[in-house]
Amino acid sequence: MSFLNSDSLLDLLVKEQVLTGEQRQMVILHKGKQRQKLLKQAGGRRQGDENRTDRGFPDLVDIILSLGLEVSGSPGTPLSEEIIMRAVSHRLKIPFKKLDPLELDMDTVTKTIPRSFAINHLILPLELRNGVLDVVTYHPDNHHVLEDIERANQVKVRPFLSTRTDIRKILAEFFGFQRSITAAESQFGTTGTAATVDIGNLEQYVRLASTKELSSTDQHIKAAVNHLFSYALEQRASDIHIEPKRDICLVRFRIDGILHTIYKLPKAVHSAITSRIKSLARLDIAEKRRPQDGRIKIGRREEDREAEIRVSTVPVAFGEKTVMRILNPEVIFQQLDHLGFSRRDRVVYNSFMTAAHGIVLVTGPTGSGKSTTLYSTLKQIATPEKNIITVEDPVEMVYEEFNQIAVQSQIDVTFSTILRNILRQDPDIIMIGEIRDLETATHAVQAALTGHLVFSTLHTNDAVSTIIRLQDLGLEPFLIASTMLGALAQRLVRRICPHCAEPYTVDAAELRKLGFPVSGRETVELTRGKGCLQCRNTGYLGRMGIFEIFPMSEQLKKLIAARANDSDLRQVAIREGMTTLREDAWRKVQTGLTTVEEALRVTGEMEAV
């Protein structure tokens, strides 16, 4: 009988102060009732035949968990499988390993031991280094299984313990995905590989799809693509990159702003996976020489969740590179209070939202959260009494309360052409995806002058630079001064993981050298994440915004009309209370929300104060 299915487990949990003596007796009584019930259902057995029913008998760990017990001495803390396995690990001196799929190599997991062997014995290979194979198992007494692995692979095995749930999940995901990829590779052979590549002549290596590729509806490729989407949602990825290289195909996820390599796939399946994605996005799968854009809507039945995926393909040296931006409604539509506004900035931004007319510009580089801010803003102010029209390229997220128009440049449906006619649609609020030229800017000003509230984006480094950028486009300064309510510049910083946050002390002089406004103290106590299982040892979990809000005042309007430079505008705005991006980042560092490193990463090196 397995150790985890014997009363020895209960004795261990009592010694580790996970269960009380009373709880132990409760489990034993429940176990006896379950066995009697099973024997009765089996029609009665002789006493010596009871072991034959063990196959159908619930695991002792399952029995413990089914009782809904709390950890001894910790009222309110439910007893979990991980707590049980950590107690077993501590008592038996076998290290516990919390499994992170992003740290595992698919080839090691799927090619070291056979699938049936791994599933039957609940054993998962982790890493082979210097003749030592790390494996994770659920059964601490599986010595003969570990010896079989050592003999078969000619290595020394080092065991770790983990939960049955995590092991089963990863085995199912990795072997399922590997089986799909292997079957697809077998079907497509070596299609798409090249012995030599002349980077200087790109087109000859962008091969048109063969009939075999175009007509393929292979279930293995479908399963592989579905796995990628599901896995990306599970890992909170914002982007999926599929990158063809000379001999392999890389799959990378962007999580909390950082790219992680997830899979290294055979080059042979790259074209088939790309064709499947392009087919779902309604793109031309035969066209491989030009960039294409499309979108896919996906859902997970078990969670009743949906997400939009924006697909972009471009030809690169070794094939087509595909990037998919995952637009999750839970992220795109948020409460404004959750975005990271300070109290002062929230009040100022609220005055923009409630204005009767004018222009509000949100600025920042690609991936800085502008769409989230705009969508969250529009959702908050949307009511049945207001007609909200958006003009986007492309429509990021479909939302029923907005009237959304997609730019289609191929048929001359551009920002400027739509804005010429949009006022006839009786809008109250207009959102323009981006102001790119003078004509679009002029139409936005016209809408604001005729009593409409206009939101849009502009690519500038800070909020004050929006004025100079509009002037560079050719907009008259007096029109800017009379229509603009203000500008909002933003960036995204990673949040410190709340599960492993810890205080630490920093030399104030070092902070001052970096440009942070620290007073005359010798040291400053800040917060950082030391790294844990929840944050994959990065110290960060999730992201938040840092903001610079530039509200228009009478003095600023006069300066703009007089064509003042951005330095003068910035000085006046700061005197009037504007918080810069760097100052907002520093405030979030001081309050323990992010780190000095993140503040420097998104705002750049600061001049010493």
Side-chain angles (χ1 to χ4, degrees), residues 102 169 173 177 180-181 220-242 251-255 262-263 265 272-283 294-303 305-313 322-329:
L102 297 185
K169 182 178 181 181
E173 288 180 347
F177 185 62
S180 298
I181 293 299
H220 304 301
I221 290 297
K222 290 182 180 180
V225 172
N226 288 345
H227 171 85
L228 282 182
F229 290 157
S230 178
Y231 197 33
L233 287 176
E234 180 182 315
Q235 298 299 324
R236 302 180 296 106
S238 61
D239 300 85
I240 305 172
H241 292 237
I242 301 178
V251 177
R252 301 199 288 171
F253 290 172
R254 187 177 295 278
I255 303 172
I262 305 300
Y263 297 126
L265 305 181
I273 288 178
T274 301
S275 294
R276 171 62 179 167
I277 292 170
K278 290 167 70 174
S279 176
L280 291 172
R282 298 182 180 179
L283 303 180
R295 61 193 309 116
I296 305 169
K297 188 166 187 174
I298 61 174
R300 302 180 73 176
R301 293 179 183 175
E302 65 276 11
E303 298 179 13
R305 289 174 55 193
E306 291 185 345
E308 300 257 355
I309 296 181
R310 197 172 70 197
V311 180
S312 172
T313 66
T322 303
V323 175
M324 291 169 279
R325 169 67 55 87
I326 301 174
L327 303 167
N328 191 333

Side-chain angles (χ1 to χ4, degrees), residues 496-501 530 532 534-535 541:
I496 294 172
C497 175
H499 304 286
C500 62
K530 63 181 179 180
C532 66
Q534 282 75 13
C535 65
L541 187 63

Side-chain angles (χ1 to χ4, degrees), residues 127-141:
E127 183 181 27
L128 176 60
R129 182 182 297 176
N130 299 326
V132 178
L133 177 65
D134 291 343
V135 299
V136 168
T137 181
Y138 174 66
H139 299 291
D141 48 356

Side-chain angles (χ1 to χ4, degrees), residues 4-132:
L4 294 181
N5 225 9
S6 68
D7 288 348
S8 299
L9 172 63
L10 297 178
D11 296 334
L12 182 152
L13 294 178
V14 172
K15 290 177 182 177
E16 288 292 310
Q17 299 181 347
V18 173
L19 291 179
T20 63
E22 293 78 6
Q23 289 173 325
R24 177 185 183 280
Q25 288 301 117
M26 188 185 306
V27 173
I28 291 175
L29 288 174
H30 191 70
K31 176 184 175 183
K33 290 179 181 178
Q34 291 288 93
R35 180 173 293 279
Q36 291 300 321
K37 182 179 178 181
L38 185 63
L39 289 172
K40 186 175 182 181
Q41 290 174 348
R45 301 276 185 184
R46 295 191 307 272
Q47 187 173 357
D49 291 340
E50 288 183 359
N51 288 335
R52 298 182 186 178
T53 68
D54 284 344
R55 294 179 182 176
F57 190 71
D59 191 283
L60 184 56
V61 175
D62 289 334
I63 294 175
I64 296 171
L65 297 177
S66 70
L67 294 174
L69 302 175
E70 295 181 349
V71 178
S72 174
S74 300
T77 303
L79 186 58
S80 66
E81 184 183 3
E82 182 172 330
I83 291 174
I84 292 174
M85 293 308 297
R86 284 185 181 276
V88 173
S89 165
H90 181 262
R91 198 70 181 178
L92 299 184
K93 301 295 189 292
I94 303 174
F96 181 86
K97 183 80 171 177
K98 179 65 176 177
L99 296 174
D100 180 358
L102 297 185
E103 294 180 351
L104 302 180
D105 178 68
M106 185 168 66
D107 284 347
T108 301
V109 172
T110 59
K111 296 181 180 180
T112 304
I113 58 178
R115 173 178 175 271
S116 57
F117 186 90
I119 293 174
N120 288 339
H121 297 287
L122 287 177
I123 198 159
L124 175 71
L126 289 178
E127 183 181 27
L128 176 60
R129 182 182 297 176
N130 299 326
V132 178

